Amino acid sequence: MNALGRFYGTSIGKKIVMAVTGVVWIGYVTIHMAGNMLAHVGPEAINAYAATLKSIAPLLWGTRIALLVSIVLHVHAAFTLKRLDRLARPVGYDRQRFQASTLASRVMGWGGVLLLVFLIYHLLDLTLGVLNPTFSHTDVYGNLQASLTVAWVAVFYVIATVALAGHLYHGVWSLFQTMGVIHPRYERLRRVVATVIAILVPVGFATVPTAILFGWMR
Amino acid sequence: MNLTLRVWRQDGPEAAGRFETVPAPDMSPDMSFLEMLDVTNERLNDDGKEPIAFDSDCREGICGACSLVINGQPHGPMRGTTVCQLHMRSFRDGDVIVIEPWRATSFPVLKDLVVDRSALDRIVEAGGFIGVATGGVPDANTIPIPKDVAETAMDAAACIGCGACVAACPNASAMLFTAAKVTHLGVLPQGQPERYRRALSMVDRMDLEGFGGCTNYGECHAACPKEIPLETIARLNRDFLVGSVAGRTE
Amino acid sequence: MELNAKVPDGPLAEKWQRYRFDMKLVNPANKRKHRVIVVGSGLAGASAAATMAELGYRVQCLCFQDSSRRAHSIAAQGGINAAKNYQNDGDSIYRLFYDTIKGGDFRSREANTYRLAEISTQIIDQCVAQGVPFAREYGGLLDNRSFGGAQVSRTFYARGQTGQQLLLGAYQALARQVGLGAVEMRPRTEMLDIIVVDGRARGVVARDLVTGKIESHLADAVVLATGGYANVFYLSTNAMGCNVTATWRAYKRGAAFANPCYTQIHPTCIPVEGEFQSKLTLMSESLRNDGRVWVPKTPGDKRAPQDIPEADRDYYLERKYPSFGNLAPRDISSRAAKEATDEGRGVGKTGLGVYLDFADAIQRLGASTIEERYGNLFEMYNRITAEDPYQVPMRIYPAPHYTMGGLWVDYNLMSTLPGLHVIGEANYSDHGANRLGASALMQGLADGYFIIPATIGDYLAGAELAPVPEDHPAVRAAEASVRDKTQRLLDVNGSRHVDSFHRELGRIVWEKCGMARNEQGLQEALQRIPEIRAEFWRDVRVLGSADTFNQSLEKAGRVADFLEFAELMCRDALIRRESCGGHFREEFQTAEGEAVRNDAEFAHVAAWEYRGDDAEPVRHVEPLSFENVHLAVRSYK
Ligand SMILES: Cc1cc2nc3c(=O)[nH]c(=O)nc-3n(C[C@H](O)[C@H](O)[C@H](O)COP(=O)(O)OP(=O)(O)OC[C@H]3O[C@@H](n4cnc5c(N)ncnc54)[C@H](O)[C@@H]3O)c2cc1C
Ligand code: HEM
Ligand code: HEM
Ligand code: SF4
Ligand code: F3S
Ligand code: FES
């Protein structure tokens, strides 16, 4: 424990925890996005898929616990680090001219916060259904229809995917560096992988709210 | 060429600083940036105004003393160049040049553009060395070292300890500086015995000194006059991780 | 004052070993009781402080930079010599010793120079163990280059940053001891006086450059490692802060100053551009391995270099010194360049420059090889001059670079002031009248890692050192004199800034006591310098106060000392009526303009004793006896 505490107590330790928990979430969102594609196939497909997942209790709860722990750590690390960073440079420059950093890297914090807000709403909306009058634990398809036909909800979902895109664009690239698993030979590949994930996943996600909003899916 | 300087003036560590506008007329493009400041200071002195304090010594890009943020860029606009090697050719007649000190909690301003960088020395004192005492060492050629390994070590060892990486990093993180040393010593056979404990204790010190964390912005590398590769940071992270997993040795 | 060199007897090759056996030792328990102050954290200072701390002494180390790692040693480019004979090309300790003595024009002490060569091999072992990333061959073994006119490859190097890497090695060893609490490091602290109690150096008075506080630091012995005084010329390859202050104030407390007129002018530096110039940049001598030096045959030939046909070019080094050619030693190449420009054959805007041409080398080896070898130097040159050496030849000109003169020391590296030891460039050292390339780094580290840690013990064990109270009259007096001098600088409050005086002094010293000297010029200098000094004390303007961070005040103090020192330098040059090494007296040369040494009258070290500001200094002499080498005429033809 003490060793763990000391590890998490350091800036790099926290950063590595963020990377690992980040990976957990990348895995999840990728699968989640894929699953969501079944909505395009039809109500039966996605509902059946959801049903099977939920029928396997260990898988369901295992994932949920992993996700919960990860996000808590991830967010805690994120906020403590950001605090340190602020304290490290209280007085800024007249105007700093950035030379290398990507916009994505500079908005990780806010993007993350947005994702957090989204997640909370999202769970209340589509998992617990409290924001969703006609919510049914078996009819995922119906639930989607119910909430995403409301214009602002759909828009909010799409915005969330944009935040996710930025977060993944830097995050996926960054985590290899953080975990020290890089090699000059794969330097470009790393960028490519990050870009691909940062496009595929969010776009995939976005198709569902968009389709429902414009009534292509009913 | 005629220039206008907006310089940060601060009387002491406690005093509140302010920007001061100083005209810098008829300068030569062949001057180095610091020579331009010398001339400006001579003029100030003649007008009975205190000259602008700034650090410099070797004036050939190797000692790491010079440390100015010029128009929002540590060491100015030219890549892989220290301020002392920067020449006025890189500016245009009529330019307004903003000059600031390195800004970081761990680098308190002593006066005007001069900051206290002893925090970097303390990071090295925490473990940035190979612990051999003088004498009783084997012949220099007993351990052959592959050329590429020696080159990697040299690339990292080229760090001049100027602190521009800290100044450039939006988090005022000292990762590149620390990583450069950990890499230099960590890739060499002589550095193996202390490799992981070195990484751990240097990182502890780095945090203790109040530097920020690294979120892989890459600004440090871009500002680094010796273009220390970002890869060194990955090495530091790796050695730190391995060291932590393998268990701290002390 | 008598100059007792204390050279141990016995055959040359055994002196050091014998000495180490005969010397008194301090027992480990007592080492902790002894406190040593090291002034300077360059190669000499850092290595000495670290090693003495390792041995158990309590060490305090001062430097004026903001970090000990920034000492001027960091700027050394070319490399460090060692008689390893790894290349199997016939090198040996004896050969390195002989080359160094000969290179120094037979004006250094045999025993010291031999010891230097002897220790050189241990230095490389030590540095490699510390992780200094020397250049290597593909087989993984250390690479060597031939450097500065040596005919064997004995120079170890780390790209163009050898000094940096060696200093970082020493700095890290020092940092380790600081971390362990064995060394108290005091950066941004300038030593301004030596505290002498009962005829022994017992500490220093220093100014905290941040707070302006004047403090005394007491100890059982003091080691000066404060570097050279080449900045007396104002323009030199030295760092801005390099100064004579530490050694000069020690001189005034009883340490004799030896051979101040021996200064080295480095042949390959970037020529002066204009008035505003603050320093000169060295282009590593290694460039001469592939570059060819030439000037136009006819004076005033203003054609662009590429338009000048071979027939109209004078590769004067190759012409004059067939066997050494472009690799002729520094003093020789520098003087040859001066001759050429004096004849009006100089190149560049100012006419004060000669070409260093790589066209042939690029032809022969290809641009890529040249880039591999000198890439970073070409880049540096291009950055400063905005000219591309791959296209047009470099322009170079000699510049003050190193000072062989310094405080006189005996075999133990102790000055004539008991307890005050002097190491590195600060002592008059092992280089005689001229230093060979890549041997200063060697000397700094030999002194610091291996010699002083041994000899200091001999001193401490032998001397009875009663503790000195903080308020001892000698301490108070020293503090008072420092405070007084500092205040006087501020009180003048005249109209001229410090640099204007430094420039004026520099110009005189460069013209009258630079690459070539003559009686009349030196007389003029001795006339002018006191005038400038008087002017300085009448009209200098130093703003700000003594009790704050005040860079003008620091500069003023250093320039004030240069203004006094320069006089001694010219005085020494005037009396040395011969040409030897870096000291070329125009009156003493052959028809072809080669230096003429006068061994009958001047085969000695001249050490000057201070007798008060108004009294003439006294010149003492240490005769140099050569039992192992015979004084040859130094010919590189
Ligand atoms: C550009 C250049 C290139 C060179 N290249 C080579 C080379 O390739 N090979 C070679 O062998 N030699 C070379 N030399 C020479 C060599 O670098 C120096 O002679 C050597 O490094 C001197 O080391 P040092 O420790 O004696 O003094 P320095 O390294 O000059 O250190 C002086 C120290 O004393 C301190 N100090 C000075 N005055 C005071 C004071 N009043 N109070 C407190 N502290 C003080 C300074 O802070 C500094 O720490 C080169 C020199 C120059 C200028
Ligand atoms: C933008 C389009 C998205 C849609 C249409 C969508 C849809 C859904 C649906 C329908 C559920 C409920 C599944 C069920 O209860 O059977 C769900 C659960 C969930 N979604 Fe999303 N989602 C989207 C984006 C996201 C994003 C971007 C994230 C994460 C950053 C995310 C994280 C979650 C989580 C954590 C759950 C709870 C899983 C569980 O029940 O354990 N979703 N999503
Ligand atoms: C929900 C709230 C979240 C917040 C507040 C948040 C915040 C942050 C912050 C501030 C960083 C630091 C940037 C860096 O160190 O490079 C970061 C990194 C990262 N985040 Fe998040 N994030 C959140 C959610 C997520 C999610 C849902 C994922 C995955 C889909 C994710 C994946 C990552 C990854 C991979 C990194 C890179 C870690 C590294 O650089 O090593 N984060 N996050
Ligand atoms: S890493 Fe680069 S920027 Fe940072 S201290 Fe070293 S040289 Fe300066
Ligand atoms: S800029 Fe800062 S965030 Fe890391 S990569 Fe460089 S230290
Ligand atoms: S002054 Fe030495 S690096 Fe700029």
Side-chain angles (χ1 to χ4, degrees), chain C residues 418-443:
Chain C
L420 181 71
H421 299 70
V422 191
I423 60 178
E425 190 174 345
N427 70 21
Y428 89 103
S429 95
D430 317 349
H431 307 296
N434 174 57
R435 174 178 70 81
L436 289 183
S439 55
L441 299 181
M442 170 172 71
Q443 181 224 337

PDB file of all heavy atoms in Angstrom, chain C residues 418-443:
ATOM      1  N   PRO C 418      51.552  30.794   2.562  1.00  0.00           N
ATOM      2  CA  PRO C 418      51.266  29.474   3.138  1.00  0.00           C
ATOM      3  C   PRO C 418      49.757  29.250   3.310  1.00  0.00           C
ATOM      4  O   PRO C 418      49.037  30.148   3.738  1.00  0.00           O
ATOM      5  CB  PRO C 418      51.965  29.524   4.499  1.00  0.00           C
ATOM      6  CG  PRO C 418      53.064  30.513   4.316  1.00  0.00           C
ATOM      7  CD  PRO C 418      52.517  31.549   3.364  1.00  0.00           C
ATOM      8  N   GLY C 419      49.322  28.046   2.914  1.00  0.00           N
ATOM      9  CA  GLY C 419      47.917  27.717   3.063  1.00  0.00           C
ATOM     10  C   GLY C 419      47.079  28.078   1.856  1.00  0.00           C
ATOM     11  O   GLY C 419      45.968  27.579   1.678  1.00  0.00           O
ATOM     12  N   LEU C 420      47.606  28.940   0.997  1.00  0.00           N
ATOM     13  CA  LEU C 420      46.877  29.310  -0.214  1.00  0.00           C
ATOM     14  C   LEU C 420      47.374  28.463  -1.375  1.00  0.00           C
ATOM     15  O   LEU C 420      48.520  28.607  -1.808  1.00  0.00           O
ATOM     16  CB  LEU C 420      47.051  30.787  -0.551  1.00  0.00           C
ATOM     17  CG  LEU C 420      46.286  31.227  -1.804  1.00  0.00           C
ATOM     18  CD1 LEU C 420      44.795  31.251  -1.557  1.00  0.00           C
ATOM     19  CD2 LEU C 420      46.769  32.573  -2.303  1.00  0.00           C
ATOM     20  N   HIS C 421      46.519  27.565  -1.834  1.00  0.00           N
ATOM     21  CA  HIS C 421      46.871  26.707  -2.955  1.00  0.00           C
ATOM     22  C   HIS C 421      46.187  27.216  -4.210  1.00  0.00           C
ATOM     23  O   HIS C 421      45.113  27.815  -4.141  1.00  0.00           O
ATOM     24  CB  HIS C 421      46.449  25.268  -2.671  1.00  0.00           C
ATOM     25  CG  HIS C 421      47.127  24.688  -1.465  1.00  0.00           C
ATOM     26  ND1 HIS C 421      46.836  25.101  -0.192  1.00  0.00           N
ATOM     27  CD2 HIS C 421      48.083  23.748  -1.353  1.00  0.00           C
ATOM     28  CE1 HIS C 421      47.582  24.428   0.665  1.00  0.00           C
ATOM     29  NE2 HIS C 421      48.356  23.595  -0.008  1.00  0.00           N
ATOM     30  N   VAL C 422      46.808  26.985  -5.363  1.00  0.00           N
ATOM     31  CA  VAL C 422      46.261  27.501  -6.614  1.00  0.00           C
ATOM     32  C   VAL C 422      46.305  26.407  -7.669  1.00  0.00           C
ATOM     33  O   VAL C 422      47.353  25.788  -7.881  1.00  0.00           O
ATOM     34  CB  VAL C 422      47.058  28.723  -7.107  1.00  0.00           C
ATOM     35  CG1 VAL C 422      46.317  29.400  -8.243  1.00  0.00           C
ATOM     36  CG2 VAL C 422      47.311  29.701  -5.970  1.00  0.00           C
ATOM     37  N   ILE C 423      45.145  26.139  -8.297  1.00  0.00           N
ATOM     38  CA  ILE C 423      45.073  25.051  -9.278  1.00  0.00           C
ATOM     39  C   ILE C 423      44.392  25.509 -10.563  1.00  0.00           C
ATOM     40  O   ILE C 423      43.742  26.547 -10.599  1.00  0.00           O
ATOM     41  CB  ILE C 423      44.324  23.833  -8.691  1.00  0.00           C
ATOM     42  CG1 ILE C 423      42.894  24.222  -8.304  1.00  0.00           C
ATOM     43  CG2 ILE C 423      45.067  23.287  -7.480  1.00  0.00           C
ATOM     44  CD1 ILE C 423      42.076  23.056  -7.754  1.00  0.00           C
ATOM     45  N   GLY C 424      44.576  24.735 -11.603  1.00  0.00           N
ATOM     46  CA  GLY C 424      43.951  25.035 -12.884  1.00  0.00           C
ATOM     47  C   GLY C 424      44.634  26.209 -13.573  1.00  0.00           C
ATOM     48  O   GLY C 424      45.806  26.499 -13.324  1.00  0.00           O
ATOM     49  N   GLU C 425      43.867  26.889 -14.422  1.00  0.00           N
ATOM     50  CA  GLU C 425      44.448  27.983 -15.210  1.00  0.00           C
ATOM     51  C   GLU C 425      44.953  29.111 -14.310  1.00  0.00           C
ATOM     52  O   GLU C 425      45.789  29.917 -14.713  1.00  0.00           O
ATOM     53  CB  GLU C 425      43.413  28.516 -16.209  1.00  0.00           C
ATOM     54  CG  GLU C 425      43.990  29.475 -17.228  1.00  0.00           C
ATOM     55  CD  GLU C 425      42.996  29.883 -18.299  1.00  0.00           C
ATOM     56  OE1 GLU C 425      41.946  29.224 -18.428  1.00  0.00           O
ATOM     57  OE2 GLU C 425      43.285  30.860 -19.016  1.00  0.00           O
ATOM     58  N   ALA C 426      44.444  29.161 -13.093  1.00  0.00           N
ATOM     59  CA  ALA C 426      44.805  30.258 -12.199  1.00  0.00           C
ATOM     60  C   ALA C 426      46.268  30.213 -11.774  1.00  0.00           C
ATOM     61  O   ALA C 426      46.849  31.244 -11.424  1.00  0.00           O
ATOM     62  CB  ALA C 426      43.908  30.238 -10.958  1.00  0.00           C
ATOM     63  N   ASN C 427      46.892  29.040 -11.758  1.00  0.00           N
ATOM     64  CA  ASN C 427      48.307  29.014 -11.393  1.00  0.00           C
ATOM     65  C   ASN C 427      49.160  29.149 -12.657  1.00  0.00           C
ATOM     66  O   ASN C 427      48.663  29.067 -13.769  1.00  0.00           O
ATOM     67  CB  ASN C 427      48.657  27.761 -10.583  1.00  0.00           C
ATOM     68  CG  ASN C 427      48.612  26.489 -11.414  1.00  0.00           C
ATOM     69  OD1 ASN C 427      48.706  26.530 -12.629  1.00  0.00           O
ATOM     70  ND2 ASN C 427      48.458  25.369 -10.752  1.00  0.00           N
ATOM     71  N   TYR C 428      50.455  29.411 -12.473  1.00  0.00           N
ATOM     72  CA  TYR C 428      51.290  29.653 -13.657  1.00  0.00           C
ATOM     73  C   TYR C 428      51.653  28.341 -14.321  1.00  0.00           C
ATOM     74  O   TYR C 428      52.098  28.304 -15.456  1.00  0.00           O
ATOM     75  CB  TYR C 428      52.533  30.454 -13.287  1.00  0.00           C
ATOM     76  CG  TYR C 428      53.699  29.598 -12.864  1.00  0.00           C
ATOM     77  CD1 TYR C 428      54.762  29.366 -13.722  1.00  0.00           C
ATOM     78  CD2 TYR C 428      53.712  29.012 -11.614  1.00  0.00           C
ATOM     79  CE1 TYR C 428      55.821  28.560 -13.333  1.00  0.00           C
ATOM     80  CE2 TYR C 428      54.768  28.210 -11.226  1.00  0.00           C
ATOM     81  CZ  TYR C 428      55.822  27.987 -12.083  1.00  0.00           C
ATOM     82  OH  TYR C 428      56.853  27.183 -11.700  1.00  0.00           O
ATOM     83  N   SER C 429      51.468  27.275 -13.558  1.00  0.00           N
ATOM     84  CA  SER C 429      51.305  25.960 -14.131  1.00  0.00           C
ATOM     85  C   SER C 429      52.391  25.389 -15.017  1.00  0.00           C
ATOM     86  O   SER C 429      53.484  25.884 -15.093  1.00  0.00           O
ATOM     87  CB  SER C 429      50.010  25.922 -14.918  1.00  0.00           C
ATOM     88  OG  SER C 429      50.243  26.196 -16.275  1.00  0.00           O
ATOM     89  N   ASP C 430      51.973  24.359 -15.696  1.00  0.00           N
ATOM     90  CA  ASP C 430      52.883  23.416 -16.348  1.00  0.00           C
ATOM     91  C   ASP C 430      53.082  23.716 -17.816  1.00  0.00           C
ATOM     92  O   ASP C 430      53.681  22.933 -18.536  1.00  0.00           O
ATOM     93  CB  ASP C 430      52.309  21.997 -16.203  1.00  0.00           C
ATOM     94  CG  ASP C 430      51.776  21.744 -14.808  1.00  0.00           C
ATOM     95  OD1 ASP C 430      52.042  22.573 -13.924  1.00  0.00           O
ATOM     96  OD2 ASP C 430      51.072  20.738 -14.608  1.00  0.00           O
ATOM     97  N   HIS C 431      52.553  24.835 -18.289  1.00  0.00           N
ATOM     98  CA  HIS C 431      52.570  25.063 -19.740  1.00  0.00           C
ATOM     99  C   HIS C 431      53.662  26.006 -20.200  1.00  0.00           C
ATOM    100  O   HIS C 431      53.748  26.318 -21.387  1.00  0.00           O
ATOM    101  CB  HIS C 431      51.211  25.569 -20.191  1.00  0.00           C
ATOM    102  CG  HIS C 431      50.082  24.700 -19.745  1.00  0.00           C
ATOM    103  ND1 HIS C 431      49.947  23.399 -20.170  1.00  0.00           N
ATOM    104  CD2 HIS C 431      49.082  24.918 -18.869  1.00  0.00           C
ATOM    105  CE1 HIS C 431      48.880  22.865 -19.598  1.00  0.00           C
ATOM    106  NE2 HIS C 431      48.354  23.761 -18.798  1.00  0.00           N
ATOM    107  N   GLY C 432      54.471  26.501 -19.265  1.00  0.00           N
ATOM    108  CA  GLY C 432      55.566  27.372 -19.655  1.00  0.00           C
ATOM    109  C   GLY C 432      55.076  28.602 -20.377  1.00  0.00           C
ATOM    110  O   GLY C 432      54.148  29.265 -19.927  1.00  0.00           O
ATOM    111  N   ALA C 433      55.665  28.868 -21.549  1.00  0.00           N
ATOM    112  CA  ALA C 433      55.364  30.100 -22.263  1.00  0.00           C
ATOM    113  C   ALA C 433      54.288  29.917 -23.320  1.00  0.00           C
ATOM    114  O   ALA C 433      53.881  30.864 -23.982  1.00  0.00           O
ATOM    115  CB  ALA C 433      56.625  30.641 -22.914  1.00  0.00           C
ATOM    116  N   ASN C 434      53.827  28.686 -23.488  1.00  0.00           N
ATOM    117  CA  ASN C 434      52.799  28.413 -24.489  1.00  0.00           C
ATOM    118  C   ASN C 434      52.152  27.074 -24.183  1.00  0.00           C
ATOM    119  O   ASN C 434      52.836  26.117 -23.842  1.00  0.00           O
ATOM    120  CB  ASN C 434      53.421  28.354 -25.889  1.00  0.00           C
ATOM    121  CG  ASN C 434      52.419  27.925 -26.934  1.00  0.00           C
ATOM    122  OD1 ASN C 434      51.375  28.548 -27.099  1.00  0.00           O
ATOM    123  ND2 ASN C 434      52.718  26.833 -27.616  1.00  0.00           N
ATOM    124  N   ARG C 435      50.804  27.037 -24.275  1.00  0.00           N
ATOM    125  CA  ARG C 435      50.118  25.795 -23.954  1.00  0.00           C
ATOM    126  C   ARG C 435      49.715  25.061 -25.220  1.00  0.00           C
ATOM    127  O   ARG C 435      49.184  25.670 -26.142  1.00  0.00           O
ATOM    128  CB  ARG C 435      48.876  26.073 -23.112  1.00  0.00           C
ATOM    129  CG  ARG C 435      48.040  24.841 -22.871  1.00  0.00           C
ATOM    130  CD  ARG C 435      46.842  25.124 -22.007  1.00  0.00           C
ATOM    131  NE  ARG C 435      45.834  25.930 -22.680  1.00  0.00           N
ATOM    132  CZ  ARG C 435      44.946  25.447 -23.530  1.00  0.00           C
ATOM    133  NH1 ARG C 435      44.950  24.170 -23.862  1.00  0.00           N
ATOM    134  NH2 ARG C 435      44.049  26.251 -24.082  1.00  0.00           N
ATOM    135  N   LEU C 436      49.937  23.765 -25.244  1.00  0.00           N
ATOM    136  CA  LEU C 436      49.493  22.957 -26.377  1.00  0.00           C
ATOM    137  C   LEU C 436      47.993  22.702 -26.268  1.00  0.00           C
ATOM    138  O   LEU C 436      47.439  22.641 -25.162  1.00  0.00           O
ATOM    139  CB  LEU C 436      50.222  21.621 -26.404  1.00  0.00           C
ATOM    140  CG  LEU C 436      51.700  21.670 -26.778  1.00  0.00           C
ATOM    141  CD1 LEU C 436      52.252  20.262 -26.839  1.00  0.00           C
ATOM    142  CD2 LEU C 436      51.908  22.395 -28.098  1.00  0.00           C
ATOM    143  N   GLY C 437      47.332  22.548 -27.414  1.00  0.00           N
ATOM    144  CA  GLY C 437      45.903  22.279 -27.418  1.00  0.00           C
ATOM    145  C   GLY C 437      45.573  21.061 -26.573  1.00  0.00           C
ATOM    146  O   GLY C 437      46.364  20.124 -26.466  1.00  0.00           O
ATOM    147  N   ALA C 438      44.413  21.093 -25.945  1.00  0.00           N
ATOM    148  CA  ALA C 438      43.883  19.945 -25.200  1.00  0.00           C
ATOM    149  C   ALA C 438      44.680  19.591 -23.946  1.00  0.00           C
ATOM    150  O   ALA C 438      44.572  18.493 -23.433  1.00  0.00           O
ATOM    151  CB  ALA C 438      43.771  18.721 -26.101  1.00  0.00           C
ATOM    152  N   SER C 439      45.510  20.523 -23.467  1.00  0.00           N
ATOM    153  CA  SER C 439      46.267  20.208 -22.260  1.00  0.00           C
ATOM    154  C   SER C 439      45.819  21.010 -21.044  1.00  0.00           C
ATOM    155  O   SER C 439      46.254  20.733 -19.935  1.00  0.00           O
ATOM    156  CB  SER C 439      47.755  20.439 -22.511  1.00  0.00           C
ATOM    157  OG  SER C 439      47.941  21.758 -22.964  1.00  0.00           O
ATOM    158  N   ALA C 440      44.943  21.978 -21.234  1.00  0.00           N
ATOM    159  CA  ALA C 440      44.460  22.749 -20.081  1.00  0.00           C
ATOM    160  C   ALA C 440      43.417  21.945 -19.316  1.00  0.00           C
ATOM    161  O   ALA C 440      43.406  21.925 -18.086  1.00  0.00           O
ATOM    162  CB  ALA C 440      43.860  24.069 -20.526  1.00  0.00           C
ATOM    163  N   LEU C 441      42.553  21.263 -20.061  1.00  0.00           N
ATOM    164  CA  LEU C 441      41.548  20.418 -19.399  1.00  0.00           C
ATOM    165  C   LEU C 441      42.281  19.346 -18.605  1.00  0.00           C
ATOM    166  O   LEU C 441      41.949  19.051 -17.455  1.00  0.00           O
ATOM    167  CB  LEU C 441      40.630  19.782 -20.441  1.00  0.00           C
ATOM    168  CG  LEU C 441      39.837  20.757 -21.308  1.00  0.00           C
ATOM    169  CD1 LEU C 441      38.955  20.002 -22.284  1.00  0.00           C
ATOM    170  CD2 LEU C 441      39.009  21.690 -20.455  1.00  0.00           C
ATOM    171  N   MET C 442      43.321  18.807 -19.230  1.00  0.00           N
ATOM    172  CA  MET C 442      44.129  17.779 -18.575  1.00  0.00           C
ATOM    173  C   MET C 442      44.720  18.327 -17.274  1.00  0.00           C
ATOM    174  O   MET C 442      44.622  17.699 -16.220  1.00  0.00           O
ATOM    175  CB  MET C 442      45.226  17.343 -19.545  1.00  0.00           C
ATOM    176  CG  MET C 442      46.309  16.466 -18.964  1.00  0.00           C
ATOM    177  SD  MET C 442      47.410  15.828 -20.243  1.00  0.00           S
ATOM    178  CE  MET C 442      48.324  17.282 -20.728  1.00  0.00           C
ATOM    179  N   GLN C 443      45.278  19.528 -17.346  1.00  0.00           N
ATOM    180  CA  GLN C 443      45.910  20.084 -16.152  1.00  0.00           C
ATOM    181  C   GLN C 443      44.883  20.385 -15.070  1.00  0.00           C
ATOM    182  O   GLN C 443      45.071  20.058 -13.894  1.00  0.00           O
ATOM    183  CB  GLN C 443      46.663  21.364 -16.494  1.00  0.00           C
ATOM    184  CG  GLN C 443      47.371  21.981 -15.299  1.00  0.00           C
ATOM    185  CD  GLN C 443      47.184  23.485 -15.235  1.00  0.00           C
ATOM    186  OE1 GLN C 443      46.912  24.139 -16.243  1.00  0.00           O
ATOM    187  NE2 GLN C 443      47.310  24.036 -14.043  1.00  0.00           N
TER     188      GLN C 443
END
